[in-house]
Amino acid sequence: MLTADQLSTIKATVPVLEEGGEALTRHFYQRMFRENPEVLAFFNPAHQHTGGQQRALAAAICAYAKHIENPSVLAGAVELIAQKHASLGIQAHHYPIVGSNLLASIKEVLGGSATPAVIDAWAAAYNQLADLFIAREQKIYTEQKAEHGWNGFKRFIVKQREQASDNIVSLYLAAEDGQALQPHLPGQYITLRITPKDGTPMMRNYSLSNPAGSEYYRISVKHEVATTPATPDGVCSSFVHHQLQVGDVVELAPPCGEFTLQAPLHAEGPLVFIAGGVGITPILSMLHSALAQHPDREIIFIQCAINGNVRAFSDELATLQNKYTNLKTHLRLSEPNATDREQQVHNSEGFIDQELFDKLIGERQSEFYLCGPTPMLSHVWHLLKARHVADCDIHYEFFGPAAELAA
C-alpha cells in the first residue's frame, strides 16, 4: 500500500506527465533497449518508429497517476495489457528491468523535479502495478495450460497457404505433435514466433480468423508495405508473404485477448459487425460463432475496404450469406476501381456514414463489434456516439498499441 505522502506526490506529478510524458517514454525505451537488449524481441520496431508505443505508454502512465487511489477504474486497460504480456511470455523477472529503467528515465528527464520523494513514490507505485500484472498474468498462464494444454511456445506446421486478397495471405497451422486444438474464444489472437536464417527471433500477434473449434488455427496476415521511403516494409509480414511455405515449422503461443464475442445484452435488435481492411480477421471468427449461436437473430456484417482487390474473404462471406437467412452483408469500398464498378461487387462507396446506419439499422438498439485501422475506428465510434449508442454496446480492438477513440 502506498502511503498518504506517496499518493499525494504521485498525483502532483500528473501535470508534468501530461506535458512531458512522451519525452519521458521515448527516453525510457531508448534507455531500456540500450541497457537491456534482451527485451527487444518483445517489441514491434514499427510501433517504436511511428511513436505509437511511446504515446500509448505515456497515456497509460498518466491514467495510472490520475487514478492512483483507485486503480480498479483501469481494470479494462489492465486486462488488455495483461493479455498482451501473456501472449508474449512476459514473466515476473522482466518487471524489475522495466522498473529500473523507468525510474532512471524519470531522474534523467525530469532533472531537479525528480526529488528523492518523487522517485520513492514512483518506485512504490510501479511495484504496486507490477504486482497487479504479475498476479493476473500468472492466472492467464494457468488458464491457458488447463484450456489449451500448453504454455509458452509450441511447434506448429504450416499445412496450407491461400490468398485471402491481393495483400492478405492465410496460413493454416496444425500442432506438430498432432494434439487436437481446443476452441479459442472468437476474437482472440495467437502469437507467431519465427526465427529467420539470421537467427533473430520475431514475435507478432495475429488474430485467429477461423471458426472456433476448427481442427487448425488460421491466421491471415496483411503484407505491411512501407508508406514512405524512410520506413521499411514490415519485417515479419514480408517473411510470411515471401518465405514461409507449406511444411515449414513455426512456433505459437496459446490464444489470448479480451476482445471476444460476448453474450448479447439485449433480447432484440441486430448484432452488427464492422470490419475495416485486415481488421476482418477477428470479426470473421466472431461472425461464424454468432451465426451458429443465434440463428433467429438478425446479424449485419459491414465490410470496408479500399477496393475489391484488397477485399478479403469474399468467397467465404458469400458462402455464409447463402447459408444463413438471418445474415445481411454490406460491402462499402472507399476507392472502387473500374472492375469493381463494372462487376458491381460492392453495395456502396465512400466511408461509413449515418445514412448507411439509418438504412441498415434504423432506430433499433444494437450491439456493435468493430475492428480496423485507428482512423476508421475513431470515425465509426463518433458516429455511434452521435446515435446515443451506449458504451457497453460498442466493442472494439486496435491492432498495435491502444489509442484513444474519443480524441
Side-chain angles (χ1 to χ4, degrees):
M1 291 288 293
L2 275 70
T3 67
D5 286 344
Q6 288 171 333
L7 289 171
S8 178
T9 299
I10 291 295
K11 288 190 289 185
T13 62
V14 170
V16 177
L17 293 173
E18 288 180 331
E19 181 177 351
E22 283 190 46
L24 172 64
T25 55
R26 281 196 300 272
H27 185 282
F28 158 71
Y29 280 118
Q30 291 170 357
R31 188 184 198 284
M32 183 170 66
F33 294 155
R34 181 182 69 249
E35 299 295 327
N36 298 94
E38 67 271 21
V39 304
L40 275 168
F42 294 115
F43 294 88
N44 186 335
H47 299 156
Q48 293 290 323
H49 184 84
T50 63
Q53 192 83 55
Q54 295 90 330
R55 289 190 293 273
L57 179 60
I61 292 174
C62 284
Y64 181 50
K66 288 179 180 178
H67 299 285
I68 191 67
E69 292 178 302
N70 185 23
S72 62
V73 173
L74 304 174
V78 168
E79 181 63 16
L80 183 152
I81 295 170
Q83 292 284 340
K84 288 288 186 182
H85 285 180
S87 76
L88 298 169
I90 299 294
Q91 300 294 332
H93 66 266
H94 292 118
Y95 282 89
I97 295 173
V98 174
S100 63
N101 283 287
L102 180 60
L103 292 175
S105 288
I106 290 175
K107 288 181 181 179
E108 294 169 25
V109 173
L110 299 188
S113 299
T115 64
V118 168
I119 297 302
D120 173 73
W122 270 102
Y126 175 79
N127 289 332
Q128 174 180 278
L129 186 61
D131 288 343
L132 181 66
F133 277 119
I134 290 168
R136 177 60 187 131
E137 287 154 19
Q138 288 304 314
K139 187 174 181 181
I140 293 172
Y141 292 137
T142 300
E143 293 167 350
Q144 287 178 334
K145 184 71 172 179
E147 294 171 8
H148 297 286
W150 90 94
N151 284 129
F153 286 89
K154 179 175 176 175
R155 288 165 62 90
F156 277 69
I157 299 175
V158 180
K159 290 292 188 180
Q160 181 181 340
R161 282 176 57 105
E162 67 180 18
Q163 289 294 137
S165 71
D166 281 5
N167 64 344
I168 297 175
V169 65
S170 290
L171 303 180
Y172 293 74
L173 306 161
E176 186 182 48
D177 63 8
Q179 181 182 11
L181 302 178
Q182 298 304 309
H184 67 279
L185 298 178
Q188 285 188 309
Y189 54 82
I190 52 85
T191 303
L192 172 72
R193 184 167 73 180
I194 54 179
T195 304
K197 291 181 179 179
D198 66 5
T200 304
M202 296 182 287
M203 293 187 288
R204 298 290 188 273
N205 295 142
Y206 291 113
S207 297
L208 292 165
S209 59
N210 58 281
S214 303
E215 63 181 3
Y216 51 81
Y217 287 146
R218 181 178 68 182
I219 60 172
S220 304
V221 180
K222 176 187 175 184
H223 188 203
E224 299 293 345
V225 179
T227 56
T228 66
T231 58
D233 291 348
V235 178
C236 193
S237 68
S238 294
F239 185 89
V240 169
H241 273 255
H242 301 315
Q243 298 186 50
L244 206 55
Q245 300 298 325
V246 171
D248 287 348
V249 174
V250 298
E251 296 176 298
L252 301 184
C256 277
E258 85 298 338
F259 176 61
T260 57
L261 184 65
Q262 305 295 309
L265 296 175
H266 315 296
E268 298 180 354
L271 290 175
V272 183
F273 297 95
I274 304 175
V278 75
I280 190 176
T281 50
I283 297 293
L284 185 58
S285 184
M286 290 182 179
L287 179 63
H288 277 280
S289 290
L291 290 168
Q293 295 170 13
H294 309 290
D296 299 321
R297 186 167 194 170
E298 182 179 357
I299 295 176
I300 298 172
F301 179 82
I302 302 172
Q303 184 178 12
C304 304
I306 297 175
N307 56 54
N309 293 340
V310 295
R311 180 220 179 176
F313 300 110
S314 57
D315 291 342
E316 188 166 332
L317 289 166
T319 298
L320 292 175
Q321 179 71 82
N322 291 332
K323 181 178 180 180
Y324 294 98
T325 58
N326 61 319
L327 173 62
K328 179 186 294 184
T329 63
H330 188 98
L331 174 62
R332 174 155 285 199
L333 300 180
S334 59
E335 300 176 18
N337 55 41
T339 301
D340 297 330
R341 292 196 172 98
E342 180 182 343
Q343 297 181 356
Q344 298 182 334
V345 299
H346 57 298
N347 303 101
S348 60
E349 299 181 12
F351 297 111
I352 290 180
D353 52 25
Q354 296 291 15
E355 183 179 356
L356 180 62
F357 285 146
D358 290 339
K359 176 183 177 181
L360 296 178
I361 302 164
E363 300 296 323
R364 294 177 294 172
Q365 187 175 34
S366 306
E367 294 173 60
F368 298 83
Y369 289 83
L370 325 173
C371 191
T374 299
M376 180 204 122
L377 291 181
S378 180
H379 172 69
V380 173
W381 187 87
H382 281 91
L383 291 177
L384 295 178
K385 297 310 294 181
R387 300 177 75 86
H388 307 293
V389 178
D391 286 346
C392 63
D393 288 332
I394 307 175
H395 311 271
Y396 56 86
E397 181 175 55
F398 294 97
F399 283 165
E404 176 57 61
L405 289 187

